Amino acid sequence: MRRSRRSGFTLLEVTLATALLAAVLGAALMVVQRGKSAMAEGHLHARAEARAHRALARVLAELRGAGIDALTPAINANGLTSPSTLTFDPVLGVSGAAPLWGSPVRLARGAAPEDPDDGRDNDGDGVVDEGALMLTRDVGAPSQASFLICSQVRELAEGELVNGNDDNGNGLRDESGFSIQRIGSMLTVRLTVEEAGEGGETGIATVTSSLTLRN
């Protein structure tokens, strides 16, 4: 009598097929998740870049009224210093050949009240040590008033670490997320802004622009 041909699968075959299917589905899911994460980061980067460009345009508009000799600190012209706070007297006009100076104006990056610079995300928004770029008019006067130019300004510029080195290769060491560099009569302003997403993604954008000050 002939033996019947085997039908069905063995337990081992079922187990192997299930494992293979799980691996294929897992790989596909990882591809989808990575794609979604990349799209989210791209969107966050675009938002950060747009905010940074708007803020930088405002900063340059304020600095166009400054004179080289009216900067505090008096930025070293060798290009090696990059303060994150700058106070200057704006030129309001000219009387004869002499400039008419206005009340001091200050541009400064400082810690956000809800997230002090301590290496932690104190407000839980996904950004560590976020800072605020502020504009202050009439510095030192009873009428002194401050205005927010940009939020979520990083403590350090993109690619920088606190190690005394020029990590991002722009000629400056350990520069802040907002920094001003002087070479001769030209000021170069750099601003790094970060946006955080709900899924833990982050978008970082750095914008740079320069202007030449009057004497």
Side-chain angles (χ1 to χ4, degrees):
M1 182 176 178
R2 296 180 60 185
R3 299 178 63 183
S4 60
R5 186 175 294 177
R6 189 188 66 171
S7 61
F9 299 95
T10 67
L11 178 60
L12 177 60
E13 289 172 331
V14 171
T15 302
L16 290 176
T18 302
L20 179 60
L21 178 60
V24 171
L25 292 177
L29 181 60
M30 287 181 61
V31 170
V32 172
Q33 290 178 333
R34 287 175 181 173
K36 290 176 63 177
S37 179
M39 289 180 61
E41 289 180 359
H43 178 65
L44 292 169
H45 172 80
R47 287 173 50 186
E49 189 173 43
R51 288 202 304 114
H53 276 296
R54 289 195 299 268
L56 190 61
R58 177 70 183 279
V59 169
L60 294 179
E62 296 290 338
L63 287 174
R64 285 190 182 97
I68 296 175
D69 298 327
L71 304 177
T72 306
I75 305 176
N76 192 326
N78 63 14
L80 297 179
T81 55
S82 56
S84 58
T85 299
L86 183 69
T87 303
F88 60 93
D89 295 336
V91 177
L92 302 181
V94 178
S95 177
L100 297 175
W101 300 99
S103 299
V105 175
R106 182 171 62 225
L107 292 164
R109 187 267 180 205
E114 65 277 8
D115 191 7
D117 289 342
D118 59 3
R120 296 181 296 175
D121 178 17
N122 294 278
D123 57 0
D125 66 351
V127 180
V128 176
D129 293 349
E130 65 193 80
L133 177 57
M134 304 295 295
L135 168 71
T136 302
R137 298 194 185 280
D138 298 338
V139 176
S143 56
Q144 175 175 312
S146 296
F147 309 90
L148 176 67
I149 294 181
C150 188
S151 60
Q152 294 187 330
V153 179
R154 290 187 54 152
E155 182 179 16
L156 292 173
E158 188 174 4
E160 276 297 301
L161 301 172
V162 181
N163 57 11
N165 298 322
D166 176 19
D167 299 293
N168 57 14
N170 66 1
L172 303 173
R173 296 184 293 270
D174 298 349
E175 76 267 24
S176 169
F178 170 68
S179 67
I180 301 175
Q181 179 186 17
R182 176 185 170 189
I183 299 179
S185 60
M186 184 176 70
L187 292 185
T188 297
V189 184
R190 294 179 176 87
L191 180 64
T192 298
V193 175
E194 183 173 3
E195 289 273 356
E198 296 180 357
E201 305 89 355
T202 58
I204 301 173
T206 299
V207 295
T208 304
S209 190
S210 301
L211 78 162
T212 300
L213 298 184
R214 67 188 72 189
N215 293 323

